[in-house]
Amino acid sequence: MNRRAMFLEVLGIPAEWVPRKAPVTAVAEAPLAETIVMAEASEVVKVAAMAEAAESVKSVDSTEVATPPMTADNFDTPDAGDAAEIAETVEAFDTPARAAAPAVPILRQSNPEQDGRDAAIAAMDWPTLAASVAGCTDCGLCATRTNTVFGVGDQRAEWMLVGEAPGENEDLQGEPFVGQAGKLLDNMLAALGLARDRNVYIANVLKCRPPGNRNPEPDEVAQCEPYLKRQIALIKPKVIVVLGRFAAQSLLRSTTPIGKLRGTVHTYEGIPVVVTYHPAYLLRTLTDKARAWEDLCLAREVLNRAGAQA
Ligand code: URA
């Protein structure tokens, strides 16, 4: 018996989980500040279409979707040899203090300068967007960053993953999720036949590292969100998987705890969003890996359904 199996046995968790149908309970549209101010008829149509799509997801026969068996080994946690680095990652992204502070939804007042900036970003192509992020000095994080972390992956991917913000390794290397949490994320993706260099795009809400990995500030999120929004608009993914409480609450403009955001198909700019745990949290809480797998299966169902309707 390997160490993982022994560990799970000690915790009383069987090595094999019985596949369960991922719950789809509701559809919620992220109320963007501007959407609240100027709700367009097209938005309403999008929400209605999403509700319909979610209804169909609900009725997907489990035999229609080839769901791999839900096993503890669907994605491996990095080896214990990296324990110190794992502890650091967990410490950085998963402290009780961070967990206690909800991501504050940004309801920014409209002002001409900000609106002009947002509109300019919303019209950028990939090279202009990347250059704009690389040279951005619109919040204080530019003073402490080593590199901006734009995003990585296939710019035409059907899957997009959104994390919170770069950590130390990401800041040094300029790529999202390259530390221990990133290794776990890669394993999660591999379990779905996905890889960052092939068929998925990974980005963060923030493109610069908050010093000491503190929680992002609302104004930092407000300045950075237009970049993410443009990335999403250019990629047009079929599903967005949001990693962790902070990214989920920021993107969905919500203070709802992550446990309640999971299991529901939300939308961001008309694109289905599935929320799951942050890989750094999963490094510590192995018992929630099965829930994370359920979330990924839900995302895959949403995507399969979208493909079937296309
Ligand atoms: N955590 C995140 O949310 N994003 C990264 O890129 C790395 C760690």
Side-chain angles (χ1 to χ4, degrees), residues 93 163-167 170 176-177 204 278:
F93 279 93
E164 175 182 325
E170 291 77 20
F177 287 101
N204 284 310
H278 194 284

Side-chain angles (χ1 to χ4, degrees), residues 85-101 164-167 177 181 184 209 212-216 243-247 258-259 276-289:
E85 206 191 326
I86 290 177
E88 247 169 57
T89 309
V90 169
E91 170 105 5
F93 279 93
D94 193 29
T95 58
R98 278 170 67 84
E164 175 182 325
F177 287 101
L184 176 57
R209 180 192 185 205
N213 299 331
R214 64 158 168 74
N215 269 335
L243 304 166
R245 180 188 63 84
F246 194 93
I258 186 162
T276 194
Y277 294 113
H278 194 284
Y281 165 81
L282 292 175
L283 286 173
R284 187 178 73 177
T285 319
L286 293 181
T287 48
D288 274 338
K289 276 174 57 177

Side-chain angles (χ1 to χ4, degrees), residues 4-42:
R4 169 191 312 287
M6 281 169 62
F7 180 61
L8 291 170
E9 192 175 84
V10 170
L11 288 176
I13 300 162
E16 300 273 337
W17 277 282
V18 180
R20 255 191 288 155
K21 216 164 129 5
V24 180
T25 52
V27 171
E29 173 75 3
L32 289 177
E34 57 269 36
T35 315
I36 294 169
V37 178
M38 273 193 0
E40 286 176 14
S42 62

Side-chain angles (χ1 to χ4, degrees), residues 64-202:
E64 267 179 50
V65 180
T67 307
M70 199 178 288
T71 72
D73 289 322
N74 271 346
F75 45 91
D76 272 335
T77 307
D79 279 347
D82 303 311
E85 206 191 326
I86 290 177
E88 247 169 57
T89 309
V90 169
E91 170 105 5
F93 279 93
D94 193 29
T95 58
R98 278 170 67 84
V104 183
I106 320 128
L107 292 173
R108 205 173 48 194
Q109 293 292 326
S110 180
N111 80 66
E113 195 184 327
Q114 200 64 54
D115 292 351
R117 176 182 181 270
D118 291 1
I121 294 173
M124 287 176 181
D125 59 12
W126 277 113
T128 316
L129 186 65
S132 178
V133 167
C136 184
T137 54
D138 292 341
C139 83
L141 295 182
C142 63
T144 47
R145 73 180 177 222
T146 313
N147 289 295
T148 54
V149 178
F150 183 65
V152 69
D154 177 2
Q155 294 174 347
R156 289 174 310 168
E158 296 187 332
W159 288 79
M160 180 160 181
L161 273 70
V162 176
E164 175 182 325
E168 186 180 11
N169 292 306
E170 291 77 20
D171 173 67
L172 291 172
Q173 295 182 42
E175 182 170 329
F177 287 101
V178 289
Q180 287 304 317
K183 282 188 197 162
L184 176 57
L185 183 62
D186 286 343
N187 293 347
M188 292 162 75
L189 293 174
L192 290 163
L194 301 170
R196 63 174 72 199
D197 57 357
R198 228 164 6 98
N199 47 10
V200 65
Y201 194 90
I202 307 174

